[in-house]
Amino acid sequence: MIFIWRFLMGGSVSKDLYVEMEKRLADVRQDGNPFELGCHLYVLGIVELYHFYRIEKAEPLLRESIKNYQLVDDPSTQVMIFKTLGYLLSVQGKFEENLVLKRRELEIIRDTGDRRMMGITHAEIGEVYCHLGDYHQAEDQIRTGIALVQGRSDYEYALRHRYLGDVLLAQGKYTKAQEAYQFSYDFFQTKNEKGWMFTALTGLSRVEFALGERSSAWLHARQALHLSSEIQLYHFFA
């Protein structure tokens, strides 16, 4: 189960694998390992939340996941508790509460000394600030996150550039936003990660439209539309 969970969180999720995980849920419950059950429920809940948009089905799965994580005395499970609660608060629009949780999550990760996870959490705090409309703080947090993951995770480094593009675009920093989106797209194109290629292309299209580059904007919009028809529902996690 640990291997499957890491594979899922790596950004390549097939529908068949998700269906298999649904079938195995009863067996995982019977095994009685709270960490593995927590991970299993977490993945199922995230799919319900961000792919089916069924919060009524996602919430009980994620809350049960939290209960299982609470049975494991380890900093990593404490982080997962905060992350899971944060996702629920985010989809409910409770961004101020989510920001408090993310800061507590960051304190725990700092104690572990895991700079990659510190970077990811800083970037996620930036995303919360973006939802709150504080784009200056959002940019600062995302840039801090990017600096921390650089050299530790090429995937996260490229992914956080895609979110950096959003906050730069919101501030009217169009050229820098274009560079961030392009960097993200180029990386995920080499990995054939169509889900993140799609989001980078939509960002490129928007910023090019703002720059008056209408032909490029429409080209990338059409490319994004074409990609959207190729992406499996479970191909990537947001």
Side-chain angles (χ1 to χ4, degrees):
M1 175 60 206
I2 301 295
F3 169 77
I4 293 175
W5 178 60
R6 288 175 180 168
F7 173 74
L8 285 165
M9 296 310 293
S12 298
V13 185
S14 71
K15 183 175 181 179
D16 290 342
L17 184 55
Y18 174 69
V19 171
E20 184 62 27
M21 289 188 69
E22 279 191 309
K23 292 178 181 177
R24 288 201 63 241
L25 180 57
D27 293 335
V28 177
R29 287 188 194 279
Q30 192 171 357
D31 289 342
N33 184 316
F35 178 71
E36 298 230 359
L37 180 55
C39 292
H40 207 103
L41 290 162
Y42 173 82
V43 171
L44 295 176
I46 290 296
V47 172
E48 290 289 348
L49 195 63
Y50 286 110
H51 292 283
F52 288 131
Y53 305 104
R54 296 190 298 213
I55 190 171
E56 72 282 355
K57 294 194 69 174
E59 185 166 4
L61 288 167
L62 294 174
R63 292 202 178 278
E64 186 182 352
S65 173
I66 290 169
K67 288 180 181 179
N68 279 275
Y69 286 139
Q70 288 171 335
L71 299 174
V72 183
D73 185 18
D74 187 88
S76 65
T77 54
Q78 294 300 307
V79 169
M80 289 306 299
I81 290 167
F82 285 124
K83 282 193 180 298
T84 306
L85 283 171
Y87 289 137
L88 287 171
L89 290 172
S90 180
V91 297
Q92 294 169 355
K94 299 177 180 179
F95 301 116
E96 292 283 2
E97 294 178 46
N98 192 13
L99 184 60
V100 173
L101 280 182
K102 297 304 291 184
R103 286 171 173 161
R104 291 173 62 191
E105 178 187 330
L106 183 59
E107 290 174 5
I108 294 172
I109 295 171
R110 279 177 176 154
D111 289 340
T112 70
D114 188 332
R115 293 176 67 82
R116 183 184 68 87
M117 286 303 299
M118 286 169 58
I120 291 171
T121 307
H122 271 291
E124 290 176 344
I125 289 173
E127 292 173 43
V128 178
Y129 273 120
C130 186
H131 285 298
L132 289 168
D134 190 339
Y135 301 119
H136 178 73
Q137 277 281 7
E139 181 182 349
D140 285 350
Q141 289 291 328
I142 293 173
R143 287 194 183 279
T144 298
I146 286 173
L148 284 165
V149 300
Q150 187 173 12
R152 295 180 173 87
S153 172
D154 293 341
Y155 187 98
E156 288 291 341
Y157 188 69
L159 176 60
R160 302 307 161 182
H161 272 80
R162 176 254 179 274
Y163 290 109
L164 177 62
D166 288 346
V167 298
L168 292 170
L169 176 59
Q171 296 175 89
K173 300 177 181 179
Y174 300 138
T175 301
K176 290 182 179 179
Q178 187 178 31
E179 292 170 355
Y181 287 132
Q182 188 67 58
F183 178 84
S184 185
Y185 174 76
D186 290 343
F187 173 83
F188 288 115
Q189 186 180 39
T190 66
K191 305 298 182 183
N192 199 32
E193 288 280 2
K194 294 180 180 178
W196 292 121
M197 288 165 61
F198 167 76
T199 60
L201 282 170
T202 58
L204 274 173
S205 178
R206 286 182 293 141
V207 75
E208 286 163 347
F209 191 83
L211 285 166
E213 300 173 6
R214 303 299 172 88
S215 59
S216 294
W218 284 113
L219 172 64
H220 287 134
R222 287 193 296 270
Q223 288 177 341
L225 184 61
H226 178 73
L227 271 179
S228 69
S229 66
E230 297 181 2
I231 299 169
Q232 291 188 42
L233 180 61
Y234 304 96
H235 189 72
F236 72 106
F237 277 22

